Amino acid sequence: MDDTKVKVMADRLVRRVVDCSFHHPAVRQRLGQIQDLPPEERFRLVEAFAERHRRGSDTEPVRLKLLTLTALVGRGLDGLPLAAERAAQLDALGRVHSFWYGDRCEALVEAEEAAGRVLSPAVIATVRRTAVGAYADQEIVRFAARFAEPVLNVGEAWAEAAMADERLRELLAHALTARAAKPSAAWDKRGRALVEGLGAETVRTALLPLLALVGRPRTFALDRAEYEPDVDHTFDPYNANALRGLVWLLALLPAHPDTVRALGALVETSLRKVAGIGPRNPKAANAAVSALARTDGEAALAELARLGTRVTYKGTLKLVDAALQARAAALGLSREEIEELAVPAYGLTEVGKAAFRFDGAAAELDVRGTRAVLAWRNAAGKQVKTAPATVRRDHAEELRALKGLVKDIEKSLSAQAERLDRQFLARRRWAYGQWRERYLDHPLVGTLARRLIWTVDGTAVCFADGALRTLAGAPLEGAAPAADATVELWHPVGREPAEVLAWREWLERHAVTQPFKQAHREVYLLTDAERTTRTYSNRFAAHVLRQHQFNSLAAARGWHNKLRLCVDDSAPPATRELPQWGLRAEYWIEGEGHEYGIDTTESGTYLRLHTDQVRFYPIDAPPNWASTYGGGYAMWRGDGRAAVDPLPLAEVPELVLSEVMRDVDLFVGVASVGNDPTWSDGGPEGRFRDYWTSYGFGELGASAETRRALLERLVPRLAVADRCTVEGRFLHVRGELHTYKIHLGSGNILMSPNDQYLCIVPGGSGGAGAADPGYLPFEGDRTLAVILSKALLLAKDTEITDPTITSQLRRG
């Protein structure tokens, strides 16, 4: 071929590759034909590609294809040009998550390998991640399989630590074969043989520290394209198979509390969400749940029960539910009973207390609210702040286990409080004897149950001064309740206002802080407007919510919701099924706005939602659906079922109506953009300014009214009571520099002289959250704590040092 013909052939091939990609049949055929050309003609083609690359007139994607063509056409030839450029491209390749399969970057890798150059582990990691991707072709899969070393991909702390332990090489190789949803009998057999070879204790002590490193920041960051999600905070997909295999191996070991603790932590770490991606790695979470399900003992069952209250990702939650149902069926119990029996004592020898001795020194563990507190005494009996040196030196393993126990107790307290809070709608009843054993006198659950109000055969009681006592203070035990007396959680719905107020005063008198609102629980009764609309409520319509926060709250409260994407799709409303009542509650929502990057994430997920009606249907009614672009909901009857009308709100049981509305009020109260102190400018393009102002300083909802009534009782007890008054919608605070009005719904602040907005972000340095508001009758109302902290802060406004606040005070 003359030079002109070579140039024409090279340009045509480049043009076709650019237009069609390397995987187009015509391109593949042409490359195959070129491979049959004499070496000297192929080399001339390679030189033509190199010359065009050197000119630098093409875009970067085309220049990459020129490098790839150089490697493909020059396969097997010596002295290929652009060696430095190919090396630089491979260096860049090692800093990306994966490459598009059409770019054939593996050709560059292969050419470098064929030339005898050592490939970096980072480049091998990129090839492997590409090979396990959804769009990888078999050529890339086969090419990636050629690399046996390193065993795992570099870049993750746990993987690099695992490869540094020579004892684990065979275990890691076996773990990498864990590509199915669950281990086969053959896989388990090989795993058991490897474990026996090393020793079960050796395997456990080697693997658990690795699991503690999972999810840590990458050891080196990856380069991200403009619209690529945050891949640095996901799991390496190649290593994820090995991680799943290691988790399966842990299930083959004898049960151990540390193993159970590590598996539970891995579930939560793996399901932590990453912007633009979602859960980090459900595959690893599911493997950990399966391992817990295969692990015998009380600790594993307790961890599954805890995860049942914490996990919101549907696929993993389904596995947790199946595991708990299987345990319940095996024991002939209900799911509710297995959750109750699954709560361990965690070493507590009486309700909320335990003592541990270490050669004269002692640790006293005391559960206080949501915390487990350790108090230490040295060998002389003197109280000390931390573990004595002799304990740290001679009992390091026991001390580590004790600290792990404290963490377990605190995690379990949170989970058990959530489980108890859901019992109002579960219609759960207990026999008195059973209830005392599982709740009131349980070493852990008792710390929660003794702070709640119960009814025993209709008599309302709460625990104080060592006994269950009625509102009048008489001990219930004096009435000698029968072992089969019926026990239920007390709820304010249907109670006389005087009784509710009396219980609130009783709690304050006995300094009882309830684990969640009960005596102070909001009650949502049917309004005149809802009697008029009859089948739907607009009480929580026309709000703007942060979608991801709403979605998390909904899942935590037992609602099912689908994230809205700005695409041509449809979705049902947020729903909560109430099987004990035969009902389904719906909260109608739709995505807000349609401008990518302003109204959506980079992946197209709406940032905000508009809210609409609340409705109730029979639980088996066909679902309603609406376009994710917005529009009315319509009942889907694809299975031939007839349409079902929504239930009149007057026919919904009062307790159900109140609890569902309370959930929706929570969603609005927490997720509304109106309670974000940084949104005083009205958000994107200022278009939410009117909503932000009306919500942030407007009329109080039911939750805020409850907060108002409580503050009227609490403010006189504050150290700054002489500077605070509750008036209308605000807590007024008189400082030295200004007078402030804190809204009781949003916590937003206006200051004198012209009701100028004052932005204080909760938890900031020197901002709200730093001061202790003192006794509160219940836990969980963050806005109440923020309001009180802001009041304590602003009453002494001359002592504020945070420059973001002081600059606003000076301007005011």
Side-chain angles (χ1 to χ4, degrees):
M1 286 189 295
D2 58 28
D3 290 344
T4 301
K5 191 171 183 180
V6 167
K7 184 177 182 306
V8 170
M9 181 183 293
D11 286 345
R12 284 179 177 174
L13 186 55
V14 172
R15 189 162 52 250
R16 181 157 294 185
V17 167
V18 170
D19 292 342
C20 305
S21 90
F22 285 102
H23 289 270
H24 192 278
V27 174
R28 296 164 75 99
Q29 181 182 16
R30 188 63 178 136
L31 285 171
Q33 293 169 349
I34 289 174
Q35 286 295 326
D36 294 332
L37 292 175
E40 60 273 12
E41 292 192 10
R42 284 199 290 133
F43 198 88
R44 290 172 67 192
L45 276 174
V46 168
E47 284 289 0
F49 299 139
E51 178 59 30
R52 180 168 173 176
H53 186 279
R54 293 187 188 104
R55 288 201 301 268
S57 57
D58 294 301
T59 63
E60 282 303 314
V62 174
R63 287 166 62 80
L64 173 60
K65 292 181 186 296
L66 287 168
L67 284 177
T68 305
L69 281 170
T70 301
L72 284 171
V73 174
R75 182 178 290 156
L77 300 178
D78 295 326
L80 292 181
L82 304 179
E85 289 81 355
R86 290 199 311 277
Q89 185 59 49
L90 285 180
D91 182 61
L93 191 67
R95 297 194 304 272
V96 300
H97 182 270
S98 54
F99 55 84
W100 184 53
Y101 76 109
D103 285 338
R104 290 302 303 277
C105 288
E106 78 277 9
L108 285 175
V109 179
E110 187 177 27
E112 292 298 291
E113 185 186 41
R117 296 186 179 89
V118 177
L119 298 174
S120 73
V123 168
I124 294 172
T126 301
V127 172
R128 285 170 169 171
R129 287 192 293 266
T130 303
V132 299
Y135 300 105
D137 70 354
Q138 288 305 305
E139 285 189 32
I140 296 176
V141 172
R142 286 192 291 270
F143 180 71
R146 294 166 50 178
F147 299 105
E149 294 292 335
V151 179
L152 302 177
N153 281 352
V154 296
E156 290 185 315
W158 79 265
E160 293 180 7
M163 289 187 288
D165 191 337
E166 285 297 325
R167 300 171 301 172
L168 301 181
R169 289 192 64 81
E170 284 191 274
L171 276 183
L172 293 177
H174 183 57
L176 274 169
T177 64
R179 299 188 181 95
K182 58 183 180 180
S184 64
W187 196 96
D188 274 353
K189 182 178 180 181
R190 173 60 178 159
R192 284 193 177 91
L194 291 171
V195 168
E196 289 173 5
L198 288 172
E201 185 62 16
T202 298
V203 172
R204 184 181 67 79
T205 56
L207 295 189
L208 294 192
L210 300 181
L211 263 60
L213 296 175
V214 173
R216 295 279 183 89
R218 284 182 56 86
T219 57
F220 62 90
L222 296 174
D223 295 336
R224 292 170 59 190
E226 183 177 0
Y227 295 108
E228 189 175 13
D230 187 3
V231 293
D232 276 346
H233 289 91
T234 62
F235 290 4
D236 187 300
Y238 180 82
N239 290 347
N241 277 335
L243 181 59
R244 174 163 58 183
L246 295 180
V247 167
W248 287 352
L249 289 170
L250 285 172
L252 303 178
L253 305 179
H256 191 284
D258 287 351
T259 303
V260 169
R261 191 177 297 130
L263 291 172
L266 180 62
V267 172
E268 295 182 287
T269 299
S270 303
L271 295 181
R272 197 163 294 141
K273 292 184 178 178
V274 175
I277 293 176
R280 281 169 156 181
N281 199 280
K283 177 193 298 184
N286 294 348
V289 170
S290 297
L292 285 169
R294 298 173 67 192
T295 301
D296 294 329
E298 182 184 74
L301 180 57
E303 189 64 17
L304 284 169
R306 186 188 73 83
L307 291 172
T309 68
R310 306 294 292 176
V311 170
T312 59
Y313 183 70
K314 291 180 182 177
T316 306
L317 183 57
K318 185 177 180 180
L319 289 178
V320 173
D321 286 340
L324 289 172
Q325 292 285 11
R327 292 286 183 97
L331 296 173
L333 302 171
S334 67
R335 164 67 184 274
E336 291 80 8
E337 288 178 302
I338 203 71
E339 286 183 340
E340 292 168 359
L341 294 172
V343 187
Y346 291 107
L348 300 171
T349 52
E350 55 182 298
V351 176
K353 295 184 181 298
F356 305 88
R357 301 200 65 81
F358 301 89
D359 295 339
E364 297 170 356
L365 193 155
D366 187 18
V367 176
R368 301 174 189 171
T370 59
R371 297 184 60 235
V373 180
L374 278 177
W376 287 94
R377 294 186 182 277
N378 60 22
K382 182 181 178 181
Q383 189 164 343
V384 291
K385 292 183 178 180
T386 60
T390 55
V391 176
R392 298 196 300 271
R393 183 187 66 237
D394 301 333
H395 300 277
E397 182 63 24
E398 295 98 316
L399 179 60
R400 187 188 63 79
L402 181 57
K403 290 179 178 179
L405 184 68
V406 168
K407 292 180 180 179
D408 288 346
I409 288 174
E410 292 181 345
K411 287 195 297 184
S412 187
L413 283 169
S414 175
Q416 292 304 315
E418 290 180 17
R419 182 175 69 85
L420 279 165
D421 197 10
R422 293 183 185 181
Q423 298 305 309
F424 292 114
L425 283 175
R427 307 184 87 172
R428 191 91 169 90
R429 295 182 175 89
W430 300 266
Y432 179 78
Q434 179 190 73
W435 169 77
R436 284 212 66 129
E437 177 186 357
R438 299 180 185 179
Y439 286 86
L440 196 69
D441 296 333
H442 188 280
L444 181 78
V445 182
T447 66
L448 303 170
R450 293 186 177 193
R451 294 186 283 139
L452 293 171
I453 306 168
W454 304 83
T455 64
V456 180
D457 275 350
T459 300
V461 293
C462 192
F463 192 88
D465 300 326
L468 285 169
R469 298 186 181 276
T470 66
L471 193 53
L476 180 69
E477 281 73 5
D484 60 352
T486 302
V487 180
E488 296 179 85
L489 264 175
W490 180 94
H491 194 285
V493 160
R495 305 283 175 175
E496 290 296 327
E499 180 189 354
V500 176
L501 180 60
W503 273 116
R504 293 178 180 181
E505 293 172 347
W506 190 97
L507 294 172
E508 293 175 25
R509 192 164 60 250
H510 290 86
V512 173
T513 297
Q514 298 199 290
F516 47 81
K517 287 184 182 179
Q518 186 188 25
H520 293 79
R521 203 172 188 85
E522 301 82 8
V523 173
Y524 299 79
L525 303 177
L526 203 61
T527 65
D528 291 339
E530 287 162 347
R531 291 187 179 91
T532 300
T533 57
R534 191 170 168 272
T535 59
Y536 62 89
S537 170
N538 277 328
R539 196 184 309 198
F540 298 105
H543 288 281
V544 182
L545 310 184
R546 294 176 288 267
Q547 173 170 215
H548 290 86
Q549 193 170 17
F550 166 77
N551 190 60
S552 296
L553 285 168
R557 295 297 300 169
W559 290 68
H560 300 290
N561 182 56
K562 180 180 179 181
L563 282 173
R564 267 57 177 174
L565 302 176
C566 190
V567 296
D568 185 13
D569 193 10
S570 59
T575 62
R576 181 171 182 180
E577 294 186 347
L578 306 165
Q580 294 88 348
W581 305 85
L583 296 174
R584 181 181 78 228
E586 296 186 351
Y587 190 25
W588 289 11
I589 53 176
E590 65 179 52
E592 190 285 319
H594 297 292
E595 190 168 346
Y596 266 75
I598 294 178
D599 298 317
T600 72
T601 64
E602 293 177 352
S603 61
T605 305
Y606 282 111
L607 291 171
R608 293 170 291 276
L609 301 170
H610 271 303
T611 68
D612 202 346
Q613 303 172 7
V614 175
R615 294 188 175 208
F616 292 85
Y617 289 87
I619 196 168
D620 56 354
N624 288 301
W625 290 75
S627 169
T628 51
Y629 281 135
Y633 280 91
M635 190 161 280
W636 174 254
R637 292 178 289 157
D639 54 5
R641 288 185 290 170
V644 176
D645 292 331
L647 293 173
L649 297 180
E651 296 180 10
V652 177
E654 281 187 330
L655 177 62
V656 174
L657 179 69
S658 184
E659 285 296 298
V660 167
M661 291 298 188
R662 184 175 184 272
D663 277 355
V664 178
D665 195 359
L666 171 71
F667 303 155
V668 172
V670 175
S672 171
V673 300
N675 62 20
D676 187 334
T678 65
W679 267 54
S680 58
D681 61 354
E685 301 171 351
R687 65 180 187 269
F688 300 109
R689 185 177 290 110
D690 290 343
Y691 170 75
W692 184 87
T693 302
S694 66
Y695 181 87
F697 299 104
E699 294 300 321
L700 302 183
S703 181
E705 286 288 358
T706 299
R707 197 174 294 135
R708 182 184 188 280
L710 177 60
L711 282 168
E712 288 177 337
R713 299 179 62 83
L714 293 181
V715 164
R717 307 173 192 172
L718 295 178
V720 293
D722 59 326
R723 291 179 172 268
C724 299
T725 56
V726 178
E727 299 178 23
R729 303 190 299 270
F730 298 92
L731 173 60
H732 291 245
V733 181
R734 179 172 52 84
E736 295 295 335
L737 303 176
H738 300 278
T739 298
Y740 309 91
K741 296 193 299 185
I742 308 173
H743 191 260
L744 303 181
S746 65
N748 289 338
I749 308 168
L750 298 174
M751 65 177 177
S752 64
N754 300 311
D755 277 353
Q756 181 177 329
Y757 176 65
L758 173 61
C759 178
I760 298 181
V761 178
S765 175
D772 180 7
Y775 166 77
L776 296 176
F778 50 79
E779 296 164 357
D781 188 342
R782 181 174 179 271
T783 301
L784 173 63
V786 166
I787 289 171
L788 287 169
S789 294
K790 286 181 176 180
L792 294 171
L793 179 78
L794 295 172
K796 301 178 180 180
D797 52 6
T798 56
E799 299 177 13
I800 297 173
T801 58
D802 188 329
T804 63
I805 302 175
T806 57
S807 62
Q808 297 177 78
L809 297 179
R810 286 194 299 269
R811 288 198 303 270

